[in-house]
Amino acid sequence: METNTDQHDTGGPQGHVQRLCEFALEREDIKWLVQGLPKDGAVDPNTAEYELQLLKIVSIGWGISYFLQEDPLKDEILEPYWRAVREFAENLSQTTSLLIGKDIEYFEAIKARLNTYVQAMTALTGDADPTQAIGPAFARCCGREDDPFAVLAGAKLFANTMAHTRTYLAKAVSEDERTGDGGVQ
């Protein structure tokens, strides 16, 4: 599946942030995963879709930090990514609040999920695969802790998002090395 991060134009860190945000909000993979859930009602599709979107946004932010640990490009992408996510969340919160007449704090939900997933990963031992923590944590967020389909949906989205983020950032770093925009050693 081609994503917005596969189309790699130049544009420096701002362009990278824009494409990563577009990828974070792109919903094709989320819809595909929700459609793959059993129709028996064990996992509410609306809850799964909402939680998958949160997981994708958080995964990209975590991926930027993880894959660019020592790269100077990290700060040029990570902080603006979270600012853009916050701006999107505030706009969504305002619109939703107007529609339903109740205050919604979408960015607070994103921060809460980030904490949930970071705590799940810190509980891993040794070289355990992070998807082993993310899948079950996602299922808990959906209220279906023991549902293997919920666990698999969360693990799949996390793994796919991380793979795309890693590939995109590798291209971004390589591009910045060639153009002199980054100081990758």
Side-chain angles (χ1 to χ4, degrees), residues 51-69:
E51 291 295 339
L52 284 167
Q53 186 69 67
L54 293 173
L55 176 57
K56 188 172 182 182
I57 291 167
V58 165
S59 297
I60 292 169
W62 188 78
I64 294 166
S65 192
Y66 181 77
F67 295 123
L68 295 179
Q69 286 179 27

Side-chain angles (χ1 to χ4, degrees), residues 12-22 76-77 80-81 84 168:
Q14 293 86 6
H16 300 317
V17 170
Q18 180 181 351
R19 282 183 292 284
L20 288 165
C21 286
E22 288 169 358
E76 295 179 47
I77 294 176
Y81 172 79
Y168 180 81

Side-chain angles (χ1 to χ4, degrees), residues 13-111:
Q14 293 86 6
H16 300 317
V17 170
Q18 180 181 351
R19 282 183 292 284
L20 288 165
C21 286
E22 288 169 358
F23 176 54
L25 300 176
E26 191 273 322
R27 302 177 60 77
E28 227 176 278
D29 50 353
I30 292 170
K31 290 178 182 178
W32 181 80
L33 286 167
V34 170
Q35 288 173 348
L37 293 172
K39 307 296 183 233
D40 63 4
V43 178
D44 177 49
N46 293 322
T47 300
E49 188 170 344
Y50 175 80
E51 291 295 339
L52 284 167
Q53 186 69 67
L54 293 173
L55 176 57
K56 188 172 182 182
I57 291 167
V58 165
S59 297
I60 292 169
W62 188 78
I64 294 166
S65 192
Y66 181 77
F67 295 123
L68 295 179
Q69 286 179 27
E70 301 299 323
D71 195 294
L73 193 57
K74 177 180 128 184
D75 291 335
E76 295 179 47
I77 294 176
L78 186 62
E79 288 180 40
Y81 172 79
W82 284 118
R83 276 196 308 270
V85 166
R86 178 180 217 120
E87 183 179 317
F88 165 78
E90 288 172 358
N91 290 336
L92 181 63
S93 295
Q94 289 174 0
T95 302
T96 304
S97 295
L98 288 173
L99 289 173
I100 65 172
K102 180 180 168 185
D103 284 343
I104 302 294
E105 293 293 333
Y106 193 64
F107 192 70
E108 292 303 315
I110 293 169
K111 285 182 1 183

